[in-house]
Each structure stands twice: as C-alpha cells, then as structure tokens.
Amino acid sequence: MMILVKGKPGSGKSELAESLTIKLADEENAGRAAAFSGSPLYLATMIPFGEEGAARVKKHRAMREGKGFETLEIPAEFRREERRIAPHFGGVCLLECVANLAGNEMHAAEHAGRRLEEIREIVLEEILWLGRHMKHLVVVTDIFEDIPDADEDTRQYIRLVNEINRFLEEKADRVEGTYETV
C-alpha cells in the first residue's frame, strides 16, 4: 500500500507521515511472532546545504529519535543502494521527501541537459521501484504554488514536483494532507 502525505513546507506533514508509518509498522509487528520486531525504514533524501539545511536535518533527526526508525540517508538512485535497502523489503518505509529527491535528480551532474520529462520519469521509477519492494510505503511531498517572479530554474523545479505529485496521487492507495503551516 502507498500513502501519499502532502502539504506546504512547515505544515506538519513529516510528523503526520511518521505517525502513519509507526502505526503501520505496529500493525505489521502485532501480526507476527512476538520475537519479531520489524523497524520501519526512514529513507531520508535531503542533501543539507548550508546552515539552514543542517538545521532542518537536525530537526528531523530529533523528531524521529526514539520512535524505532532505522534511517538510511540516500539522496537519489535507490536501486544503486539496493543492498542497503534490501533488508527492509516487505516492510514499512517512509520516504522523506519527493521534493528533495526531485531537486537532487534535477541538479545531478549526470542528468545535465536532460529534459524535465526525463527527470520526472527517473524520480517516478525510483519511487515505484521502492513501492514494489515494500509492503507499505509512506511518501512525503511538498505542495508548491507557482511563484510568478521566480527564476526559470525554480519554476521548472516547482513544475517537476507538481507533476510527480499528480502522478503519485493517482497511484496512491490513500492521500493525506496538511495544508496550514504550523
């Protein structure tokens, strides 16, 4: 099952996604032998740039501390890291987040010169690959509004994330949202 959790930056979507992921993991663990303790996977995609990025990573690490997550920091190309992810196949995974993944792929040196549509397909293939290997996948994404005076790169990024979101909304078994910033 795939659950898409979307919201504006700072709206509490990560907290909601963590709660949903923990609930799914608890339900899975309750149905298994008492000795089994399947930790949910937290797949972090943010590449922290500058002090603001480092602060966001620190905040998210503190938010999930003590909640039983096993965290892997993989900013892109999940299939290349299959050996690290494989122990979690068939389990519960939280992917944090589509906007970071899209930006990472959009600005990766090996993708220089690719059309936006090609980048979109690369990101979607990575997410769908992950979804095929997990019993439950909770995907976090940002909702962005158009910024008329933004530079071309920012407009392309917003378009990319919004296109990926529309596709994921159609594929998801459930869509949750947080729409007000906290």
Side-chain angles (χ1 to χ4, degrees):
M1 169 173 55
M2 180 169 51
I3 301 173
L4 181 65
V5 178
K6 60 184 191 169
K8 293 179 181 177
S11 66
K13 64 190 172 299
S14 295
E15 187 175 349
L16 173 60
E18 287 178 13
S19 295
L20 289 168
T21 303
I22 291 167
K23 182 177 183 222
L24 289 167
D26 287 348
E27 289 170 0
E28 287 299 313
N29 290 334
R32 298 183 187 189
F36 179 80
S37 176
S39 297
L41 173 63
Y42 189 107
L43 190 53
T45 62
M46 183 174 185
I47 299 172
F49 292 105
E51 290 179 25
E52 182 180 335
R56 284 183 61 202
V57 168
K58 186 177 179 181
K59 173 188 167 192
H60 279 257
R61 285 179 180 155
M63 282 174 52
R64 67 181 178 268
E65 190 172 311
K67 293 181 179 177
F69 285 102
E70 183 173 331
T71 301
L72 294 179
E73 295 180 357
I74 304 174
E77 300 180 345
F78 304 142
R79 289 176 286 192
R80 286 190 184 174
E81 298 291 336
E82 181 172 353
R83 64 176 173 68
R84 292 176 61 202
I85 299 171
H88 300 278
F89 285 177
V92 181
C93 177
L94 169 58
L95 172 59
E96 173 79 47
C97 87
V98 170
N100 291 330
L101 179 60
N104 297 343
E105 293 288 8
M106 185 175 172
H107 295 102
E110 66 267 18
H111 298 317
R114 289 193 186 229
R115 295 185 347 259
L116 206 60
E117 294 77 17
E118 293 173 295
I119 302 297
R120 180 191 65 222
E121 292 308 310
I122 289 167
V123 172
L124 289 171
E125 285 174 15
E126 292 296 318
I127 295 169
L128 294 176
W129 175 85
L130 190 61
R132 284 192 299 274
H133 292 289
M134 299 296 168
K135 181 156 188 185
H136 301 291
L137 176 62
V138 178
V139 180
V140 179
T141 192
D142 286 307
I143 297 172
F144 293 116
E145 297 174 1
D146 289 330
I147 304 171
D149 58 343
D151 61 61
E152 182 60 24
D153 190 56
T154 301
R155 285 198 306 274
Q156 291 289 330
Y157 169 72
I158 290 170
R159 186 175 135 220
L160 174 64
V161 173
N162 288 340
E163 287 178 7
I164 293 167
N165 288 349
R166 280 191 291 279
F167 179 87
L168 292 175
E169 285 175 9
E170 291 175 11
K171 289 288 186 189
D173 297 289
R174 190 165 123 203
V175 178
E176 299 278 339
T178 57
Y179 301 99
E180 299 301 320
T181 53
V182 290

